[in-house]
Amino acid sequence: MGGVASPLEIGVTLVSGSTEHTSEDALSALVGLVEADLEACNRVIVARMDSPVALIPQLAAHIVAAGGKRLRPLLTLASARLCGYPDQPNAARHVDLAACVEFIHTATLLHDDVVDESQLRRGLASANAVFGNKASVLVGDFLFARAFQLMVDDGSLRVLAILSKAAATIAEGEVLQLVTQNDLSTTEARYLEVVQGKTAALFAAACQIGAVVAGRPEPEETALSTYGMKLGIAFQLVDDALDYVADQATLGKTIGDDFREGKITLPVLVAFLAGDAQEKAFWQRTVEALEQTDDDLDQAMRLIADHGAIGVTLESAQRFVQDAKDALMVFPDSPIRRALCEVADYTVQRLR
Amino acid sequence: MGGVASPLEIGVTLVSGSTEHTSEDALSALVGLVEADLEACNRVIVARMDSPVALIPQLAAHIVAAGGKRLRPLLTLASARLCGYPDQPNAARHVDLAACVEFIHTATLLHDDVVDESQLRRGLASANAVFGNKASVLVGDFLFARAFQLMVDDGSLRVLAILSKAAATIAEGEVLQLVTQNDLSTTEARYLEVVQGKTAALFAAACQIGAVVAGRPEPEETALSTYGMKLGIAFQLVDDALDYVADQATLGKTIGDDFREGKITLPVLVAFLAGDAQEKAFWQRTVEALEQTDDDLDQAMRLIADHGAIGVTLESAQRFVQDAKDALMVFPDSPIRRALCEVADYTVQRLR
């Protein structure tokens, strides 16, 4: 367990650590607008993931410091500011709740990596690979509980309702993904249900609670929730495409993970449905029966390219991006609104 | 996955399913006093563990219906009644919160069995053995989130604070157990920290929230929290003793589980510290290095018996039982108080 960053060291790396999926340019514009908030949020994260049981902050630091882009807490902070949450020294509810959102996200990452038996996360050894599955499950539980303690400290039952529902929806989405895994009869609608649950529900909640802390009326809550939901779906669609096109160095994760696990994503569904009998047999052998040889990933990528499945996936993502941006139009034009629209655009552009 | 009880079938088995650790006599007295509450609680459990993702209620039913004794929700129900919570048709907060407590408990059981790689739970195949580790982790997450949704519906921030803190403490206790595993230099104090976290914290919270819903003053909250904490510690001490004396048929779990995993429990600590050099070497080989042969469990049980380690563990448990009963003396004598004292007594007597 050597080389693990201490919580104090993380404080330094957190702020600049936005290197993963979404284009840095679009994110830096948004980060620039809420920079002080994000720094405060990182301090809350470090302070609240502490525990007398030293392994907890050690393991949490490993994943929290591993170069995550803080996209979800950023959305909470930016949404609160978009809704006019006051910029005063004693107004920090949005900061605490942004930390909450990151804790819930981190907990699901820890459990995901156990479930997926992942060895890499953002290009580094995953927590389960370093600390073992047991510790990852339990520290995930701790962070989840800690998130709820933070919400209770905040004191809003509305926020608690939104985030506890999101947490249940995430778990439902993950279980549904497990059920559809290795099943090529999965429909696109069912795939989108998985994506909405496992990814987009937390994006939606992260945005919505920004409106709640700012005390905005329901139409603005709904608008931000819709923005987050559509953005989250687009984000996951692009992620699923990246698993069949990006190389490991730029993506920061092992390419072909989804393929090796037999996850049924849109690129696979498109290529499978458009394929001839021989190609269908290939997919049945590789992602349903999980009988794979070394050359199969290359062949999968070829078939996906031949049938334009990446393009189809991106077009779908682009439609969700447009919906996301449209939802924000209830708010007057502002630098924050423009930055949120840019983040949505770059979600897709990171692949083009 | 054949033979899994549907949520509707469970409704029937739940009420009578109290067969595990604590003596049935003592429990039936308590059950008899809150029977209608417990039936209502079982209905809430079945209703709220439902999900459009069918695997979730299937897996949850497997563990919820597996003959658990509902000890923790019973404590919430009985504590509320002890505190004079009104027996009226529209007064059901204690019932909903008792279901919450059971959901949190069930979530931790699911994760525990994954962490411990258990094959049996209460004499039946564990959920992870039937449905796999992945589904167990994720359905645990779902139940945990659902518990918080139930609390939000109840609307008490005080209850949310107590149970979110308990959830964090449970995770800390579990991680601490992982850290002390295979480490014979663990002190008895550290072992008790593990026990307080992983087991007693939820007992304490389950009792305390009974006083909260009844709107009782802090001394009564504290008294019930203390009762639950001490009872929980005694309960776990006896459980740890049972792992070295009971046979599988009566205990309903695999004997020697703790030994095989190298868990450092009080019977092992007592026997190790009292042992000669050869015996110390035995413990180091078996529970530290985990190099075990078929005869080692018998030898461990012999050494534990020779050094009176079960007796020492029971005496310790007995002291906690006394503390638990003493704590209840702030309440006037009543059938419920007597039943709660009997439950404490039988926690230890189930081994005598």
Side-chain angles (χ1 to χ4, degrees):
Chain A
M1 295 185 191
V4 172
S6 82
L8 287 177
E9 289 172 72
I10 302 163
V12 183
T13 39
L14 290 183
V15 181
S16 59
S18 47
T19 52
E20 197 196 341
H21 289 168
T22 310
S23 157
E24 286 208 42
D25 293 341
L27 264 191
S28 358
L30 192 59
V31 168
L33 290 169
V34 294
E35 196 147 22
D37 286 349
L38 193 58
E39 283 172 26
C41 176
N42 285 331
R43 284 193 295 272
V44 172
I45 288 172
V46 172
R48 296 303 298 266
M49 74 189 189
D50 202 15
S51 160
V53 181
L55 179 56
I56 290 176
Q58 277 169 13
L59 192 151
H62 179 81
I63 185 159
V64 163
K69 58 202 158 318
R70 301 269 181 280
L71 181 52
R72 293 156 193 81
L74 253 179
L75 291 173
T76 300
L77 297 171
S79 297
R81 294 302 187 196
L82 180 71
C83 288
Y85 186 74
D87 191 6
Q88 294 160 357
N90 58 350
R93 290 184 60 199
H94 65 321
V95 167
D96 291 343
L97 294 176
C100 255
V101 166
E102 186 69 355
F103 278 168
I104 293 176
H105 174 56
T106 307
T108 63
L109 288 188
L110 284 169
H111 288 184
D112 275 3
D113 282 345
V114 169
V115 166
D116 291 345
E117 293 155 19
S118 305
Q119 296 302 306
L120 285 179
R121 158 77 55 193
R122 298 175 188 139
L124 300 173
S126 60
N128 50 310
V130 177
F131 298 94
N133 282 341
K134 300 176 183 193
S136 289
V137 169
L138 299 173
V139 174
D141 290 350
F142 173 82
L143 290 175
F144 197 54
R146 186 46 61 87
F148 277 94
Q149 288 187 282
L150 269 163
M151 284 180 245
V152 171
D153 290 349
D154 173 70
S156 161
L157 280 167
R158 179 106 186 96
V159 168
L160 276 156
I162 291 167
L163 284 176
S164 60
K165 185 174 178 213
T169 304
I170 293 168
E172 286 181 323
E174 299 271 5
V175 175
L176 192 60
Q177 174 171 266
L178 206 58
V179 172
T180 59
Q181 205 154 321
N182 315 121
D183 180 1
L184 284 163
S185 73
T186 303
T187 60
E188 183 176 339
R190 196 114 167 121
Y191 160 76
L192 282 174
E193 262 182 73
V194 171
V195 168
Q196 282 189 42
K198 75 168 188 170
T199 306
L202 189 57
F203 276 71
C207 295
Q208 188 179 357
I209 61 176
V212 174
V213 292
R216 302 304 305 164
E218 211 192 300
E220 294 184 21
E221 259 193 49
T222 306
L224 278 168
S225 170
T226 302
Y227 166 80
M229 180 62 78
K230 305 295 181 180
L231 177 70
I233 297 172
F235 182 86
Q236 187 61 53
L237 282 167
V238 175
D239 240 34
D240 290 348
L242 281 167
D243 205 61
Y244 289 96
V245 293
D247 61 279
Q248 194 163 334
T250 57
L251 182 62
K253 73 172 190 179
T254 323
I255 191 175
D257 267 351
D258 294 345
F259 179 71
R260 269 184 290 272
E261 291 156 23
K263 276 193 188 152
I264 306 301
T265 59
L266 192 54
V268 171
L269 279 181
V270 170
F272 171 72
L273 291 173
D276 60 23
Q278 199 184 349
E279 290 172 17
K280 282 197 164 64
F282 167 83
W283 291 111
Q284 281 154 351
R285 171 175 63 80
T286 53
V287 303
E288 283 201 329
L290 280 187
E291 290 165 12
Q292 300 185 3
T293 65
D294 287 348
D295 301 332
D296 284 338
L297 178 59
D298 284 343
Q299 171 69 356
M301 291 169 77
R302 240 185 331 264
L303 292 177
I304 282 172
D306 287 353
H307 290 291
I310 297 297
V312 171
T313 304
L314 285 185
E315 277 160 32
S316 178
Q318 187 57 54
R319 283 192 296 275
F320 286 108
V321 164
Q322 191 56 51
D323 290 348
K325 293 194 293 183
D326 288 349
L328 290 186
M329 293 307 126
V330 303
F331 297 97
D333 185 34
S334 70
I336 288 259
R337 194 187 79 169
R338 281 196 295 277
L340 285 168
C341 287
E342 277 169 33
V343 165
D345 282 330
Y346 276 89
T347 294
V348 173
Q349 284 164 11
R350 63 193 164 125
L351 186 48
R352 280 183 168 153
Chain B
M1 297 189 190
V4 173
S6 82
L8 287 177
E9 289 171 73
I10 303 163
V12 183
T13 40
L14 291 183
V15 181
S16 60
S18 47
T19 53
E20 196 197 342
H21 289 165
T22 309
S23 157
E24 287 209 40
D25 292 341
L27 264 191
S28 3
L30 192 60
V31 168
L33 290 168
V34 295
E35 196 148 21
D37 286 349
L38 193 58
E39 283 172 27
C41 176
N42 285 330
R43 284 193 295 272
V44 172
I45 287 172
V46 172
R48 296 303 298 266
M49 74 189 189
D50 203 15
S51 161
V53 182
L55 179 57
I56 291 176
Q58 277 169 12
L59 192 151
H62 179 82
I63 185 160
V64 163
K69 57 200 159 317
R70 301 268 181 281
L71 182 51
R72 293 155 192 82
L74 252 179
L75 291 173
T76 300
L77 298 171
S79 298
R81 293 304 187 195
L82 181 71
C83 288
Y85 186 74
D87 191 6
Q88 294 161 358
N90 58 350
R93 290 185 59 200
H94 65 321
V95 167
D96 291 342
L97 295 176
C100 256
V101 166
E102 186 69 355
F103 278 169
I104 293 176
H105 174 55
T106 307
T108 62
L109 288 188
L110 284 169
H111 288 184
D112 275 4
D113 282 346
V114 169
V115 166
D116 291 345
E117 294 154 20
S118 305
Q119 296 302 304
L120 285 179
R121 158 80 51 196
R122 298 174 188 142
L124 300 173
S126 60
N128 49 310
V130 177
F131 298 94
N133 282 341
K134 300 176 183 193
S136 288
V137 169
L138 299 174
V139 174
D141 290 349
F142 173 82
L143 290 176
F144 197 54
R146 186 45 61 88
F148 278 93
Q149 288 187 281
L150 270 163
M151 284 180 245
V152 171
D153 290 348
D154 174 70
S156 161
L157 281 167
R158 180 105 186 94
V159 167
L160 276 156
I162 291 167
L163 283 176
S164 60
K165 184 172 178 214
T169 304
I170 293 168
E172 286 180 322
E174 298 271 5
V175 175
L176 192 60
Q177 174 170 266
L178 206 58
V179 172
T180 59
Q181 205 153 322
N182 315 119
D183 180 2
L184 284 163
S185 73
T186 303
T187 59
E188 184 176 338
R190 196 115 167 121
Y191 160 76
L192 282 174
E193 263 181 73
V194 171
V195 168
Q196 282 189 42
K198 75 168 188 170
T199 305
L202 189 57
F203 276 71
C207 295
Q208 188 179 356
I209 61 176
V212 173
V213 292
R216 302 303 305 165
E218 210 193 300
E220 295 184 19
E221 258 193 50
T222 306
L224 277 167
S225 170
T226 303
Y227 166 80
M229 179 63 78
K230 304 295 181 180
L231 176 70
I233 297 172
F235 183 86
Q236 187 61 53
L237 282 166
V238 175
D239 239 35
D240 290 348
L242 281 167
D243 205 61
Y244 289 96
V245 292
D247 61 277
Q248 193 164 332
T250 58
L251 182 62
K253 72 172 189 178
T254 322
I255 191 174
D257 268 351
D258 294 344
F259 179 71
R260 270 184 289 272
E261 291 156 24
K263 276 193 190 154
I264 306 301
T265 59
L266 192 54
V268 170
L269 279 181
V270 169
F272 171 72
L273 291 173
D276 60 22
Q278 199 184 346
E279 290 172 18
K280 283 198 163 64
F282 167 83
W283 290 111
Q284 280 154 352
R285 170 175 63 79
T286 53
V287 303
E288 284 201 330
L290 280 187
E291 290 164 10
Q292 301 186 2
T293 65
D294 287 348
D295 301 331
D296 284 338
L297 178 58
D298 284 344
Q299 171 68 356
M301 291 169 76
R302 243 186 327 267
L303 293 177
I304 282 172
D306 287 353
H307 291 291
I310 296 296
V312 171
T313 304
L314 285 186
E315 278 160 31
S316 178
Q318 187 58 55
R319 283 192 296 275
F320 286 109
V321 163
Q322 192 56 52
D323 290 348
K325 293 194 293 182
D326 289 349
L328 290 186
M329 293 307 127
V330 303
F331 297 97
D333 184 34
S334 71
I336 288 260
R337 195 187 77 169
R338 282 196 294 279
L340 285 168
C341 287
E342 277 170 32
V343 165
D345 281 330
Y346 277 89
T347 294
V348 172
Q349 284 164 11
R350 64 194 163 126
L351 185 48
R352 281 184 166 154

